[in-house]
Amino acid sequence: MDGQDKVEVSRRTLLGAAAFAGVFGAVLASVPAQAEEAGVTTGPAPDLSALPRKRVELLKPPFVHPHEQIATVGPQVVEFQLVIEEKQLVIDEYGTTVPAMTFNGSVPGPLMVVHQDDYVELTLVNPDTNTMQHNIDFHAATGALGGGGLTLINPGEQVKLRFKATRPGVFVYHCAPGGPMIPWHVVSGMNGAIMVLPRDGLKDGAGKPLKYDYVYYVGEQDFYVPKDADGNFKTYESAGDGYADMLEVMKTLTPTHEVFNGAVGALTGENAMTANVGETVLIVHSQANRDTRPHLIGGHGDHVWATGKFNNPPQIDLETWHIPGGCAGAALYTFLQPGVYAYVNHNLIEAVELGATAHFKVGGEWNDDLMTQVQAPTPIDG
Amino acid sequence: MTHTVAHQDKTALLVPIVLLAGLLATIAMQTGAIRPPVVTTSSLAPVTVTIAPRAYSYRAPGEFVRGTATVDGPLVTVDNPAPIEIMKYQVSASDYDRCVAYGACKKAEPRRRGLIDVPVTGVSFNDANEYAKWLSEKTGQTWRLPTIGEWAFAAGSKARDHALDIETKDPAERWLAFYEREAKLGANALATPSPIGTFGENEYGVVDLAETVWEWTATCGSRTTLGQADETLTYLDSCGVRLLEGRHRTPMNAFVRDAQGGGCTIGAPPDNLGFRLVREREWWRAPLDYAVGLLTKATSN
Ligand SMILES: [Cu+2]
């Protein structure tokens, strides 16, 4: 087979890798072969000791850690850490709480950014203050249930997984500890996204480079909070206490809350996202469980990868785009007019009644050519 | 007008005595010698506070437009208002439930019921009016919602001026300023109604103003077009919409019980909708006040 050469190289280099790998070597050896666009490579992982390493501190969404849009160096190993936290989260302005499960304490978990052909090296930590087993399934990764098969850990344990980011795009990651635990952990908040940028940055359909001034990460979450006989939302001391009740609500497929970034109003008011006229914003939007249809009220999607994969040409001039459940999408927009914009799930019942609304505050000069109020409201003539 | 009082009672000697007693009490109250009286006439009649006359001002209600620019309404100054008697507390959930039990009020629909005795929330303007009607029948007194001006008069330092002081052709500028102000006002507010009295009283003894429960007023929504010299060019009211007062003033459809929390409308909607009522003054109060005024003037000279 045509991978023969590479197998040889890999075997040689594995010796070097084993010298420093320690515990981590066990993971290396068990990582299955991965396909590459340039040709199929099989066998053990190559020697990565020559690759530069970079440790990245993750930020709480909607913010995203600093990164290059166009890679100025070759592939590297990018180290991230996610600490799992089971915690009570207030999800609306009435103080409704859910016993949530989170990556790094936030819903969604933080957005990671790497470039194609980088290696993502994740340390997943499950502190002994938690009560459950958790793991992580990266939709960007290949094999072993997206890594889920190699990362299931008990409270008090940690694990390190490395995968090669072979396909550019935005991808969901989520906890998937098996059986009915899977949807339950996901709708309890255990999901996030990773962005794998093409090494030479984003491009439109004609190959023209596209750049952004800011990137915001919006994670949409459906919550299924049980109610008592009086119709009030119930609270539970721990996630486990609420499991049976919540499963019943989940099976109705009707969420009680559909929110951005963990709570009604998490991206409005003082937490509204900001930009200025003339600036370009990349909005990464994930929904790990349920379909959504983002829409920017008063604006558009200039270039949209609705299903989030950058090797497909972006659609242009969109009004609303569809992101299927279990997927992340990306939309690029240059603001042309100042004011307040609502960014919603344009099932408006979900936006208004269930919470799926964010706001952008945009500064700058009003453009009368684009819009003007010719006559203010006035009593009807005659 | 004072003559009316005199003619009411033929036992001429009694009149000055009664008047004098009333006068002394009123003067004492106005000069701050005693606190405004708390009136409880029957088990149903609410505790009230009487707001003594003083000059005050408030932002004119409704929307104002000059050209195509939305502008602040003018500041209305009232030099010599009549006193008003207003509920010390917002109408409580338990009081409201009595009206429901009687069959005269519709069930409130609070989004979130607080603990112990909380103000009634989840009530529309229409519900509040039904309650006022019922309370009036039960007490033989006249109860109604306050106007925006009366609310400002009673709220004193708790009333907020909503002027943005921005007049521009750029619609975004005023919009952003409005949004930012509302965002600040709404920040960190837990919207569950708190027990009555939680937030304390203002300088006139009125309790729980401008906190988590907004209050319906009788004032209709309206739009006024102003000319360059602030003269009114057009005015159109829209009484299907009534104004709510509280942390900020906002128009609302009269049938709405819950202004919604997660809304996609720009700006912060009220957390909860409730109300308090004013008691219409008896016919003889105005002439009495007039007499008090004359006498006060005479004695101070
Ligand atoms: Cu989990």
Side-chain angles (χ1 to χ4, degrees):
Chain A
M1 60 197 281
D2 61 22
Q4 191 72 29
D5 252 15
K6 285 174 184 167
V7 175
E8 294 280 331
V9 169
S10 296
R11 246 182 231 135
R12 264 199 314 272
T13 54
L14 186 63
L15 292 169
F20 77 88
V23 170
F24 166 95
V27 177
L28 274 189
S30 63
V31 169
Q34 294 179 340
E36 286 182 358
E37 308 240 326
V40 178
T41 308
T42 58
D47 177 13
L48 302 182
S49 62
L51 287 187
R53 286 186 161 260
K54 180 171 77 171
R55 185 174 175 79
V56 172
E57 294 306 322
L58 294 165
L59 299 184
K60 187 183 172 195
F63 303 107
V64 180
H65 64 82
H67 57 271
E68 293 183 322
Q69 292 180 47
I70 296 169
T72 53
V73 295
Q76 45 189 341
V77 180
V78 187
E79 300 172 7
F80 299 100
Q81 176 171 279
L82 288 178
V83 178
I84 296 158
E85 203 184 331
E86 298 169 9
K87 66 192 277 198
Q88 296 285 341
L89 275 187
V90 177
I91 61 165
D92 64 23
E93 67 277 43
Y94 299 96
T96 305
T97 56
V98 291
M101 309 174 208
T102 69
F103 289 109
N104 276 15
S106 63
V107 175
L111 184 76
M112 307 172 195
V113 184
V114 298
H115 282 94
Q116 186 175 8
D117 296 332
D118 282 347
Y119 292 83
V120 176
E121 194 171 286
L122 174 81
T123 304
L124 185 66
V125 181
N126 189 2
D128 62 8
T129 44
N130 290 338
T131 61
M132 277 174 284
Q133 281 193 326
H134 302 281
N135 68 354
I136 191 164
D137 165 0
F138 279 100
H139 290 189
T142 308
L145 307 173
L150 301 175
T151 52
L152 191 66
I153 47 174
N154 293 308
E157 293 181 327
Q158 68 174 47
V159 65
K160 205 178 274 193
L161 173 76
R162 192 181 68 218
F163 71 89
K164 190 171 186 179
T166 53
R167 298 160 200 267
V170 284
F171 296 85
V172 161
Y173 65 78
H174 63 90
C175 184
M181 291 295 117
I182 301 174
W184 183 48
H185 282 229
V186 170
V187 301
S188 294
M190 275 192 101
N191 61 86
I194 182 168
M195 177 158 72
V196 181
L197 287 167
R199 295 210 78 80
D200 55 353
L202 299 176
K203 301 226 167 77
D204 71 6
K208 188 177 144 271
L210 296 171
K211 296 193 76 174
Y212 47 86
D213 296 298
Y214 307 100
V215 52
Y216 287 113
Y217 173 36
V218 177
E220 186 169 339
Q221 181 70 59
D222 41 337
F223 284 116
Y224 302 82
V225 187
K227 290 179 181 169
D228 64 19
D230 295 332
N232 293 319
F233 288 122
K234 293 172 79 168
T235 54
Y236 298 95
E237 218 158 275
S238 71
D241 291 344
Y243 173 63
D245 286 357
M246 196 188 288
L247 210 60
E248 287 311 306
V249 185
M250 284 161 59
K251 286 194 284 194
T252 66
L253 302 179
T254 306
T256 54
H257 297 74
E258 181 80 22
V259 303
F260 293 157
N261 291 29
V264 177
L267 298 177
T268 66
E270 304 229 288
N271 303 318
M273 297 175 282
T274 56
N276 287 299
V277 168
E279 289 177 334
T280 301
V281 170
L282 181 70
I283 308 165
V284 176
H285 189 132
S286 69
Q287 217 308 3
N289 192 60
R290 200 165 174 276
D291 296 357
T292 183
R293 52 208 69 68
H295 172 95
L296 180 65
I297 301 179
H300 300 92
D302 287 339
H303 294 89
V304 180
W305 297 267
T307 51
K309 307 306 172 275
F310 298 135
N311 278 338
N312 304 298
Q315 285 185 283
I316 57 174
D317 299 337
L318 297 195
E319 57 175 318
T320 300
W321 43 102
H322 186 261
I323 300 176
C327 190
L332 206 58
Y333 183 61
T334 304
F335 284 99
L336 302 175
Q337 200 77 293
V340 183
Y341 290 73
Y343 176 79
V344 300
N345 171 339
H346 208 288
N347 177 322
L348 295 170
I349 302 163
E350 297 184 16
V352 179
E353 298 291 332
L354 301 190
T357 298
H359 291 155
F360 278 97
K361 287 190 296 181
V362 180
E365 289 267 304
W366 185 262
N367 182 334
D368 268 328
D369 184 39
L370 284 172
M371 183 182 283
T372 200
Q373 185 183 50
V374 179
Q375 183 191 41
T378 185
I380 298 163
D381 289 339
Chain B
M1 291 286 265
T2 42
H3 292 135
T4 323
V5 177
H7 288 301
Q8 267 320 97
D9 202 326
K10 301 287 184 192
T11 53
L13 264 180
L14 267 178
V15 173
I17 294 168
V18 169
L19 267 179
L20 198 65
L23 285 183
L24 288 174
T26 315
I27 291 166
M29 191 185 84
Q30 284 172 347
T31 53
I34 53 169
R35 293 195 64 79
V38 165
V39 184
T40 44
T41 50
S42 82
S43 65
L44 261 174
V47 181
T48 61
V49 166
T50 299
I51 312 295
R54 68 171 197 283
Y56 75 105
S57 59
Y58 64 100
R59 192 62 57 180
E63 287 182 45
F64 290 80
V65 176
R66 188 186 287 110
T68 59
T70 299
V71 296
D72 297 323
L75 204 59
V76 179
T77 299
V78 185
D79 287 325
N80 191 19
I84 65 166
E85 188 180 336
I86 188 165
M87 288 184 178
K88 184 176 179 70
Y89 306 103
Q90 292 169 329
V91 173
S92 72
S94 53
D95 278 351
Y96 187 84
D97 284 347
R98 287 200 279 179
C99 178
V100 176
Y102 192 81
C105 289
K106 295 192 184 66
K107 204 170 172 304
E109 292 172 354
R111 193 166 251 239
R112 182 101 178 165
R113 215 178 242 287
L115 296 169
I116 328 174
D117 201 18
V118 293
V120 65
T121 60
V123 285
S124 67
F125 168 83
N126 298 335
D127 294 334
N129 264 351
E130 291 294 305
Y131 182 84
K133 206 172 125 202
W134 173 76
L135 186 64
S136 300
E137 275 168 23
K138 288 280 130 191
T139 57
Q141 301 164 342
T142 305
W143 293 91
R144 59 170 178 79
L145 287 169
T147 63
I148 283 285
E150 287 169 332
W151 192 90
F153 181 42
S157 60
K158 291 281 185 176
R160 288 200 168 96
D161 186 10
H162 308 273
L164 287 169
D165 211 19
I166 295 172
E167 182 167 353
T168 161
K169 278 202 69 182
D170 180 341
E173 219 174 300
R174 207 180 150 84
W175 193 11
L176 281 164
F178 176 80
Y179 183 82
E180 266 157 36
R181 191 194 58 200
E182 292 214 341
K184 270 197 196 75
L185 292 176
N188 304 319
L190 252 193
T192 304
S194 302
I196 283 170
T198 300
F199 301 104
E201 53 187 43
N202 75 349
E203 61 274 31
Y204 310 117
V206 187
V207 170
D208 293 341
L209 288 156
E211 293 291 346
T212 54
V213 179
W214 269 246
E215 300 177 14
W216 285 104
T217 74
T219 302
C220 297
S222 65
R223 191 188 319 273
T224 307
T225 314
L226 298 176
Q228 286 314 313
D230 268 356
E231 74 280 21
T232 296
L233 300 180
T234 67
Y235 170 85
L236 193 65
D237 66 16
S238 161
C239 289
V241 167
R242 301 289 170 139
L243 302 185
L244 284 156
E245 267 292 4
R247 219 177 288 141
H248 53 70
R249 183 193 291 170
T250 187
M252 189 69 55
N253 284 310
F255 58 83
V256 169
R257 294 197 170 109
D258 177 5
Q260 294 302 335
C264 103
T265 49
I266 304 302
D271 297 333
N272 300 288
L273 310 189
F275 64 101
R276 81 177 80 218
L277 301 173
V278 295
R279 188 178 155 197
E280 197 71 78
R281 308 173 72 228
E282 287 84 352
W283 63 269
W284 47 264
R285 292 250 191 170
L288 181 65
D289 289 342
Y290 183 73
V292 169
L294 285 184
L295 200 77
T296 310
K297 214 172 266 173
T299 54
S300 65
N301 282 347

